[in-house]
Amino acid sequence: ENSAPYRFIDFLRGRDGRDGQDGLDGSPGPRGPPGREGKTGERGEFGVQGPPGPQGPGGAVYTRWGKTTCPDTEGTELVYAGRVGGSVHGQKGGGSNHLCMPDDPDYSSYTPGVQGASPIHGAEFETDISNPNIRGPLSSFHDQNIPCAVCSTAVRAQVLMIPAKTQCPSSWTREYSGYLMANYREHHRTMFECVDGNPDT
């Protein structure tokens, strides 16, 4: 008798209702800690090469033996022109190098005549050899004075004379080419110089 009302109540209980709509998004939470560093990616392709930068400081100076002018190359200009001088080939003293003596020298102390301490003499082409079959390409300049020009290039920082070559490596600029010359083998030693292949007289 006492259990019947409870069974009736259970029988009348309805089904669960439908889910309600989602609520509004809440405010963002605090920033989390950084994650672990990822793997390095593959290297991308090189981009297009940019234009050359502005010209930096520097430059180089060299002597063009056998000419009174400088080459017509970008950034090269004449400092001065003159004649080649040096020590006499038969004397033991003096210098072994060649000098480009200016055509208009300045004198701080001048004494007329040749001074015997260490005189500087002008240089000449000695290109006339007795055997005509082996006469060199500059034989027509025999006994003529050798001119020279001191040149400055503002766009190149280094100067190199490459013996036995008429062309420069691809990354270099050729200023001029010519022939290696020095004192005769029976004379006292001097430095080898690259004399322009088309000298002035």
Side-chain angles (χ1 to χ4, degrees):
E1 292 179 355
N2 295 330
S3 60
Y6 294 98
R7 288 196 299 270
F8 182 74
I9 293 174
D10 290 339
F11 179 77
L12 294 177
R13 179 179 297 172
R15 292 178 298 178
D16 293 337
R18 296 179 180 179
D19 293 338
Q21 296 180 349
D22 293 338
L24 299 175
D25 293 338
S27 59
R31 185 182 181 90
R36 293 182 298 176
E37 185 177 353
K39 295 181 180 180
T40 302
E42 296 182 358
R43 184 171 182 174
E45 298 181 356
F46 286 104
V48 179
Q49 183 175 355
Q55 177 182 323
V61 176
Y62 66 92
T63 301
R64 188 183 190 186
W65 306 102
K67 299 290 284 188
T68 58
T69 59
C70 293
D72 187 20
T73 56
E74 179 186 3
T76 300
E77 61 181 13
L78 178 70
V79 180
Y80 71 89
R83 295 290 182 271
V84 179
S87 298
V88 179
H89 61 76
Q91 296 178 349
K92 295 181 180 180
S96 60
N97 60 318
H98 299 96
L99 302 173
C100 185
M101 305 297 295
D103 289 329
D104 55 345
D106 297 328
Y107 298 98
S108 59
S109 177
Y110 175 74
T111 302
V114 177
Q115 311 305 309
S118 183
I120 296 176
H121 294 259
E124 295 180 342
F125 284 108
E126 295 295 334
T127 53
D128 185 22
I129 46 184
S130 58
N131 188 346
N133 295 324
I134 56 175
R135 182 166 296 177
L138 301 182
S139 59
S140 61
F141 295 91
H142 179 65
D143 280 346
Q144 296 190 31
N145 294 331
I146 305 176
C148 57
V150 175
C151 306
S152 172
T153 172
V155 297
R156 288 171 285 281
Q158 301 179 82
V159 172
L160 174 66
M161 189 274 284
I162 305 178
K165 295 290 289 183
T166 59
Q167 299 295 328
C168 292
S170 58
S171 58
W172 289 68
T173 299
R174 190 181 77 170
E175 295 290 315
Y176 76 96
S177 64
Y179 301 97
L180 282 178
M181 290 188 173
N183 264 3
Y184 181 60
R185 63 187 181 188
E186 299 297 332
H187 298 163
H188 292 291
R189 289 186 177 91
T190 60
M191 296 177 62
F192 280 101
E193 309 291 1
C194 180
V195 179
D196 196 281
N198 184 28
D200 297 330
T201 57

